[in-house]
Amino acid sequence: MMNNKSNFNLPNTITLMRICVVPFLFILLADPGRFWSLIIAVLFVIASLTDILDGYIARKYQMITTMGKFLDPIADKLIINSAMILMIPIYRIPAWIVVITIMRDLIVDAIRSIASSDGLFIQASRLGKQKTVAQIIAVTALMIHYPVFGADAHVVGLAILYIALILTIYSGIDYFVKFYRTINK
């Protein structure tokens, strides 16, 4: 149920707070040592988990708004893509992976816009959600970067990042196929 009476409700406020984490990424990833790497990873995880919280509150209390439907995916992409971009110059993530990820996001957003302008809605796929979870885990490990509990967080993060990359490509193809099938009905 769509409730547009007040776009400034609790779920949308939580989403806006998630967007406000992005400037902290710039500051904390500029010169991350062990301590700041851990702090930014914790902040990133908290911000990422608020995505679940705001969606839950919006659905449970029927506070879904047009603003929320617009801001939520933007907040996810802003925080994940910003973190990935900022880790390129500190050699924690390969630039080519970030480029493919951002290209996929732009293509999927374009597909959604075209579909929406024709009155069509393409549901977010399970693959897209799995991609996001894999990206969050990979980015968190790459932010930590240093060995934790005997595991090299950087190596673990890169391994999960490659899984996220496969899901990124596959989910992008899935959106395109769904779009193609939808417009040809």
Side-chain angles (χ1 to χ4, degrees):
M1 170 168 267
M2 184 78 71
N3 174 3
N4 285 318
K5 291 181 182 171
S6 174
N7 280 313
F8 293 101
N9 58 27
L10 182 58
N12 291 348
T13 302
I14 293 169
T15 300
L16 289 170
M17 289 172 55
R18 191 163 68 246
I19 292 170
C20 290
V21 167
V22 173
F24 291 99
L25 294 175
F26 281 93
I27 296 165
L28 296 174
L29 284 171
D31 186 25
R34 285 181 186 255
F35 176 76
W36 290 113
S37 291
L38 185 59
I39 295 299
I40 191 61
V42 168
L43 183 62
F44 179 79
V45 167
I46 291 168
S48 297
L49 291 175
T50 64
D51 183 32
I52 297 166
L53 179 65
D54 64 21
Y56 172 78
I57 293 169
R59 285 185 297 277
K60 180 171 179 152
Y61 297 102
Q62 299 179 347
M63 300 171 94
I64 297 170
T65 64
T66 302
M67 181 177 164
K69 289 172 95 174
F70 172 75
L71 281 179
D72 190 64
I74 288 174
D76 295 342
K77 289 175 183 144
L78 270 175
I79 194 164
I80 292 170
N81 291 340
S82 295
M84 289 179 21
I85 289 167
L86 292 168
M87 287 193 288
I88 293 169
I90 58 175
Y91 305 104
R92 294 191 183 178
I93 192 167
W96 66 271
I97 292 177
V98 178
V99 170
I100 290 171
T101 301
I102 292 172
M103 283 175 44
R104 179 262 184 212
D105 288 348
L106 290 172
I107 290 167
V108 167
D109 287 347
I111 288 170
R112 284 182 172 160
S113 288
I114 292 166
S116 177
S117 69
D118 287 342
L120 305 170
F121 179 72
I122 299 173
Q123 183 72 28
S125 71
R126 172 172 270 156
L127 284 170
K129 292 175 183 181
Q130 291 169 344
K131 169 210 59 110
T132 301
V133 169
Q135 286 175 330
I136 291 167
I137 294 168
V139 167
T140 301
L142 291 167
M143 284 178 170
I144 294 171
H145 185 66
Y146 300 99
V148 178
F149 304 118
D152 185 334
H154 186 78
V155 171
V156 170
L158 282 177
I160 297 169
L161 185 65
Y162 282 105
I163 293 168
L165 178 63
I166 292 166
L167 291 168
T168 296
I169 294 167
Y170 192 58
S171 66
I173 292 168
D174 183 57
Y175 272 104
F176 182 78
V177 168
K178 284 180 181 176
F179 172 70
Y180 184 78
R181 287 179 182 158
T182 302
I183 61 169
N184 284 319
K185 282 186 180 180

